[in-house]
Amino acid sequence: MSIEKLILSDFRNHKRTSLTFSPGVNVIWGKNGSGKTAALEAIHILSVGKSFRTNKIQETIQADSLQSKLVGVFVSKAVKNEISVKQNKNKNKTITINNTAVTMREILGKNPAVILSPEEQAVTAGSPKNKRKYFDRVFSVVSKKYLNNLLLYTKTLKQRNFLLKSRAEKKELRPWDIKLAEFGTALWKERNRLMHLFQKNLKEASANYNKSGVSVSVYQKQKEEDQKTFLLSLEKNTSKDMALGYTTVGPHTDKPTVFFNNKDIKIFGSQGEHKIALVLIKIAEYELIKEEKNMTPTILLDDLFATLDFERGDAVLKLLEKNTQTIITNTDLVDIESHGINLDGVRNKSIHLTRECKN
């Protein structure tokens, strides 16, 4: 799938903007503040229902408006979908596919997009929670089984934690322990399967990167506990959980770790190593989506050449597949042309945004 058209209304600094895209390389260029990153953010919201810049989409609504609206037309050889996301300041969100109301989970995986942005650096530099959220999102895109078990597990976990904080008796926890063990073991099983595939793709991306000796990997302790074992762990930790007011064992406590040349990048990584690690992780994400969904995701590159030096930026572009829709933001076209991207080609396009007026 690729995005053919995007309409932004009262979103960030876009009062009303309409953009059309080619199936190849698209460059959105203009000065800072012209709304380049907001366009990528809008595509990301239409693809996964969430922003990569904020957890509160209502923050994207213009100050003088009560709601924002995003519309994207996504096409493939056989399918054309119009996705709409309307967000009110009162937190209400309406999502439609071809004018039919749907839930957020129904748009996940329909029109996948991979975002590479400086604002995603928490994937390598952030806490274990940041990393878990990243993998939960990616794995939910490629696997309905993962998404369903994650939602069921999260809902059950919240209920158990509520009872723990309410000082409930142990016998009241038992039914929720059984459910948590059921959904948790199913979640672990699918997580381990997808993490194995992701690690394989990350190893290949590292090998293909033209800087010799660069190795990026993700370590996730593999847990294959059956329901009985997980249930015993919950029971063993019940007194501790009741004292703390939350559940201390389960998939929500997993701690994925990113390594650069066999060293924990969060502790030992330089700024440049974090940037390269994020690039390679995103390429592994792209490959995983392509393999599991049998679809080619759109690649969104936010301010790529301001983030990487020329040589590294060039290496990233060479890793991208030729027939992939790619949308790049940049302040001008000089960097783009110096990397050999021909914007006069039939499949490529440049889009100029200004602060004063929008397309």
Side-chain angles (χ1 to χ4, degrees), residues 45-65:
I45 291 171
L46 291 165
S47 297
V48 300
K50 292 184 178 181
S51 165
F52 62 87
R53 302 172 75 186
T54 177
N55 291 323
K56 299 176 181 179
I57 299 184
Q58 60 266 29
E59 293 178 353
T60 65
I61 303 171
Q62 288 197 339
D64 60 348
S65 301

Side-chain angles (χ1 to χ4, degrees), residues 232-276:
L232 289 172
S233 295
L234 288 168
E235 291 172 349
K236 181 181 177 181
N237 285 273
T238 298
S239 296
K240 178 182 177 182
D241 292 353
M242 293 182 77
L244 293 171
Y246 60 86
T247 305
T248 56
V249 293
H252 66 288
T253 65
D254 285 354
K255 297 179 180 179
T257 305
V258 178
F259 288 87
F260 191 96
N261 290 348
N262 299 318
K263 294 181 180 179
D264 186 339
I265 195 169
K266 182 173 172 56
I267 300 172
F268 301 104
S270 66
Q271 188 177 19
E273 288 170 344
H274 275 282
K275 291 176 181 178
I276 291 302

Side-chain angles (χ1 to χ4, degrees), residues 54 74 101 165 187 195 219 244-245 263 288 331 333 338 340 356:
T54 177
F74 296 84
K165 291 173 184 175
L187 183 61
M195 184 62 79
Y219 172 74
L244 293 171
K263 294 181 180 179
L288 180 68
T331 53
L333 296 178
S338 65
E356 294 77 20

